[in-house]
Amino acid sequence: MIVIVKQGATKNSIEELKQELRQKGFDIHESKGTTTTILGLVGDTSSLTEDELLTYDAVEAVRRIREPYKLANRNVHPQDTVVEVCGRKIGGGNFQVIAGPCSIESEEQITEVAKDVCASGAGFLRGGAFKPRTSPYSFQGLHGDGLKLLLEAKKATGLPVVTEIMSAAHLDLFEDVDVIQVGARNMQNFELLKVLGKTNKPILLKRGLANTLDELLMSAEYIMAGGNENVILCERGIRTFETSTRNTLDISAIPMLRKKTHLPIIVDPSHAAGIRHMVEPLSMAAIAVGADGLMIEVHNNPSKALCDGPQSLTPQAFDDLMKKINKTVAFFQGN
Ligand code: PEP
Ligand code: MN
């Protein structure tokens, strides 16, 4: 349920209203726009009537939120959320590119790629240390040692780092990580989401291979309900009947999510297509439909990559792509 506050309502009358609602057991999410203030009531509002709320001086109107996601809902929070990491903003007109290898393989590899993508203008470095592989016989990542190498690459370049967590048991290892990624396969690992909701780390939440947008938003809600509202959503392609690409990029997810939620939305064209030559056109499409950023896999030697070589760009190809990304962002998003 949301309460729209009257324009010109006194501070006292708003405070009184908030206090009474808190006493009734609701958490209140206040969203102040330039002209309108909205109070989002989180909790079981079934016993609360519209008429009861309208008796308060400060109340202009009351609306029930039909969707099961409340904190992630744009109706509760009309302004775009801007997530800020190490002084870099994402969302609300701030576009970011996250680039790096699928997995961290060696000090030389991650540092070399980090320096290259930094020079090309990427805002964040990615690299997996815990890899969710379909086969237990495939390279699983360097785990804690990989995270150390990633942090060394951060030191060498100044790029904030994004890396995937697969189990809450590993959380201590992520203390110096800037953005924690929840991969597609863990989007509905609710126990993991609850633990991440109790941290103060920005979370990059990827859409599951076969999950609806509302399910993605409910997973974001799990994190936000714990108190952590720094969630970035990522469309990374979904399973369809098509077999010529690894997944099918759901391009319509971006404008639809934009309507449903205030959270930043980025696109991962690398995992969506699984094929190098499609990364550029899908990146352009993502920008055109209003994505807040891109996550792109880059490897210094894609043919030797231990994971996802066929979809990884060389540093040179990434450099060329960054020039096109910058122009396209300026054209479509005016910055
Ligand atoms: C990744 O980004 O490394 C990854 C495994 O992606 P996804 O979870 O989208 O498959
Ligand atoms: Mn990958």
Side-chain angles (χ1 to χ4, degrees), residues 25-91:
F26 299 110
D27 277 338
I28 299 175
H29 264 260
E30 189 163 354
S31 166
K32 280 189 181 151
T34 39
T35 53
T36 322
T37 297
I38 288 173
L39 304 179
L41 308 191
V42 183
D44 179 10
T45 54
S46 54
S47 61
L48 205 57
T49 67
E50 226 174 292
D51 287 345
E52 186 182 345
L53 284 168
L54 285 168
T55 60
Y56 290 91
D57 280 350
V59 176
E60 172 72 37
V62 180
R63 236 190 302 149
R64 283 206 186 271
I65 302 294
R66 273 181 297 113
E67 296 83 3
Y69 48 94
K70 311 291 177 193
L71 300 174
N73 199 311
R74 192 178 276 285
N75 289 325
V76 175
H77 187 293
Q79 301 84 16
D80 290 338
T81 282
V82 178
V83 174
E84 193 166 340
V85 189
C86 305
R88 288 158 204 238
K89 293 179 179 169
I90 184 158

Side-chain angles (χ1 to χ4, degrees), residues 101-103 126 131 206 246 268 270-271 297 307-308 311-312:
C102 181
S103 53
R126 63 149 286 147
K131 295 304 306 174
K206 299 186 91 172
R246 185 175 178 184
D268 172 351
S270 306
H271 289 92
E297 285 189 342
C307 183
D308 287 351
Q311 68 196 32
S312 300

Side-chain angles (χ1 to χ4, degrees), residues 15-316:
E15 267 321 303
E16 187 193 336
L17 170 66
K18 282 171 29 183
Q19 209 165 329
E20 296 219 12
L21 290 170
R22 280 198 197 101
Q23 269 167 13
K24 288 182 198 282
F26 299 110
D27 277 338
I28 299 175
H29 264 260
E30 189 163 354
S31 166
K32 280 189 181 151
T34 39
T35 53
T36 322
T37 297
I38 288 173
L39 304 179
L41 308 191
V42 183
D44 179 10
T45 54
S46 54
S47 61
L48 205 57
T49 67
E50 226 174 292
D51 287 345
E52 186 182 345
L53 284 168
L54 285 168
T55 60
Y56 290 91
D57 280 350
V59 176
E60 172 72 37
V62 180
R63 236 190 302 149
R64 283 206 186 271
I65 302 294
R66 273 181 297 113
E67 296 83 3
Y69 48 94
K70 311 291 177 193
L71 300 174
N73 199 311
R74 192 178 276 285
N75 289 325
V76 175
H77 187 293
Q79 301 84 16
D80 290 338
T81 282
V82 178
V83 174
E84 193 166 340
V85 189
C86 305
R88 288 158 204 238
K89 293 179 179 169
I90 184 158
N94 303 283
F95 192 91
Q96 291 289 346
V97 177
I98 302 166
C102 181
S103 53
I104 303 150
E105 298 172 6
S106 68
E107 180 174 358
E108 192 193 359
Q109 175 244 16
I110 190 67
T111 307
E112 199 176 304
V113 176
K115 286 182 179 163
D116 284 336
V117 298
C118 183
S120 301
F124 290 79
L125 175 66
R126 63 149 286 147
F130 292 89
K131 295 304 306 174
R133 304 303 300 275
T134 302
S135 165
Y137 308 118
S138 300
F139 177 58
Q140 302 285 307
L142 296 180
H143 297 179
D145 290 342
L147 292 178
K148 280 188 201 138
L149 298 179
L150 185 66
L151 293 169
E152 277 170 33
K154 173 185 174 174
K155 228 186 256 169
T157 56
L159 288 180
V161 293
V162 182
T163 190
E164 178 168 352
I165 193 164
M166 283 172 57
S167 163
H170 301 147
L171 187 61
D172 287 350
L173 295 170
F174 285 69
E175 196 174 332
D176 296 322
V177 165
D178 301 295
V179 178
I180 300 180
Q181 175 174 320
V182 176
R185 291 154 192 82
N186 270 312
M187 189 204 89
Q188 287 191 316
N189 181 341
F190 299 119
E191 290 305 318
L192 177 62
L193 300 178
K194 281 188 222 169
V195 168
L196 295 175
K198 295 288 174 204
T199 71
N200 57 3
K201 296 275 183 200
I203 308 297
L204 176 62
L205 178 64
K206 299 186 91 172
R207 181 181 181 183
L209 279 71
N211 286 112
T212 65
L213 298 181
D214 282 5
E215 285 167 345
L216 172 63
L217 292 172
M218 287 311 291
S219 291
E221 190 80 9
Y222 260 96
I223 300 167
M224 298 173 87
N228 183 359
E229 301 196 0
N230 283 320
V231 180
I232 302 161
L233 304 173
C234 181
E235 160 59 34
R236 45 78 73 210
I238 51 173
R239 275 274 165 89
T240 67
F241 51 79
E242 183 54 65
T243 54
S244 37
T245 47
R246 185 175 178 184
N247 294 288
T248 298
L249 180 64
D250 180 8
I251 201 75
S252 51
I254 295 91
M256 183 52 86
L257 283 170
R258 183 72 70 216
K259 207 165 166 55
K260 288 172 178 276
T261 183
H262 52 89
L263 296 172
I265 307 151
I266 71 164
V267 168
D268 172 351
S270 306
H271 289 92
I275 311 166
R276 188 172 304 125
H277 78 87
M278 291 192 66
V279 173
E280 178 182 318
L282 296 186
S283 298
M284 300 297 112
I287 297 166
V289 293
D292 297 305
L294 291 164
M295 180 184 248
I296 295 172
E297 285 189 342
V298 180
H299 196 282
N300 52 343
N301 190 352
S303 62
K304 293 267 158 55
L306 297 181
C307 183
D308 287 351
Q311 68 196 32
S312 300
L313 301 186
T314 61
Q316 182 58 55

